[in-house]
Amino acid sequence: MNYVRLEPGEENVPHIHVESEDTIFILEGEGTIQDYTNDVSLPFHAGCAVHVPVGIKHAVKADRGVGIVSVGGPSPADVPLLRKVGALSPDAQAPV
């Protein structure tokens, strides 16, 4: 599970989880989830759960004047992405 803080105006890099669905629970703030695959932008606020199916290119944006605090993330863990950002060693393997 990830704990993420985005400052007002900040957003994560658009990305795709090729083997994982992404579920994020918003603890504080409000923003937008951008679905680039389907060209859809949906607002959310504290108390919302955001679900992104496998294979959807998306980004979370703190674009509504306040920051965001969230928990959640891809399930199963996105091992290639975690390796890429340095959160796992280069030789880490996905669970079987």
Side-chain angles (χ1 to χ4, degrees):
M1 181 179 285
N2 302 318
Y3 174 86
V4 178
R5 296 182 70 93
L6 293 176
E7 297 300 321
E10 193 174 15
E11 61 186 72
N12 55 28
V13 174
H15 58 284
I16 299 170
H17 302 287
V18 296
E19 297 179 358
S20 308
E21 57 186 2
D22 203 354
T23 304
I24 306 160
F25 184 75
I26 309 303
L27 298 172
E28 296 177 18
E30 56 186 279
T32 304
I33 182 79
Q34 179 68 45
D35 172 345
Y36 292 95
T37 301
N38 297 294
D39 194 27
V40 174
S41 181
L42 298 170
F44 59 77
H45 55 81
C48 287
V50 176
H51 179 259
V52 180
V54 174
I56 300 294
K57 185 176 183 179
H58 64 285
V60 176
K61 301 178 179 186
D63 59 356
R64 300 182 73 197
V66 295
I68 299 167
V69 177
S70 65
V71 293
S75 181
D78 187 337
V79 172
L81 178 69
L82 292 171
R83 271 195 238 118
K84 184 177 179 181
V85 300
L88 289 177
S89 66
D91 61 343
Q93 297 297 313
V96 179

